[in-house]
Amino acid sequence: QVQLVESGGGSVQAGGSLRLSCATSGYTFSRMGWFRQAPGKAREGVAGIFSDYTTTYADAVKGRFTISKDNAKNTLYLQMSSLKPEDTAAYYCAADRSTRMVIGSRRLAPDSYNIWGQGTQVTVSS
C-alpha cells in the first residue's frame, strides 16, 4: 500500500519559516508535489518536483518556498520562508506513478496526482 505521511506543520508568525516533510513508502514516483487548501477555497498547487528533477512553483510562493527530495530517506520536503498570513492552509503531499507527461499548468493541477497524504496544518499569524 502506497502511503504518504506529512509532518512539520504548526503555527508561526509572519516572516517565519517552517519545513514540511512527506515520508513515502519507498516507491518511485514520476512526480511529487505540495498542495494547500484554505477553508472555503479550492485546493491549489504550491510546488512540484518531477522525474527529471525539474521543479515548478506557484507564483504566490516563488522565491519563498523550496521543494526538494531525499531519495535515500524516501522523503519529500517543502522549505517555507518569509511566511505570510495568506499561506495559512492545510498542506498536502501528493504523488503519481503514471508515466503520462504533464506540462504547463497541468504540472500543479491536483488531478495530475492520484496519491495523497492526510495533510498538515500551517497557520501564520500577523
Side-chain angles (χ1 to χ4, degrees), residues 1 9 12-13 28 31 46 55-56 61 63 71-72 77 96 104 109-110 113-114 120-121 123:
Q1 183 77 9
V12 64
Q13 288 193 325
T28 300
R31 51 186 168 271
V46 174
T55 58
T56 191
V61 306
N71 291 326
Y77 300 101
D96 197 280
Y113 300 76
N114 62 5
T120 186
Q121 180 67 34
T123 302

Side-chain angles (χ1 to χ4, degrees), residues 101-123:
M101 283 189 63
V102 291
I103 60 174
S105 62
R106 298 298 306 161
R107 285 160 66 95
L108 285 181
D111 62 2
S112 292
Y113 300 76
N114 62 5
I115 303 166
W116 291 84
Q118 82 288 351
T120 186
Q121 180 67 34
V122 172
T123 302

Side-chain angles (χ1 to χ4, degrees), residues 24-56:
T24 73
S25 306
Y27 287 89
T28 300
F29 302 106
S30 59
R31 51 186 168 271
M32 297 192 73
W34 288 98
F35 294 76
R36 66 187 182 187
Q37 188 167 19
K41 294 188 176 181
R43 188 167 297 188
E44 63 177 359
V46 174
I49 187 165
F50 304 89
S51 57
D52 59 359
Y53 288 92
T54 58
T55 58
T56 191

Side-chain angles (χ1 to χ4, degrees), residues 59-78:
D59 288 344
V61 306
K62 279 181 183 175
R64 300 189 298 122
F65 292 9
T66 302
I67 189 171
S68 62
K69 188 170 58 169
D70 186 330
N71 291 326
K73 296 182 177 179
N74 296 320
T75 302
L76 179 74
Y77 300 101
L78 183 69

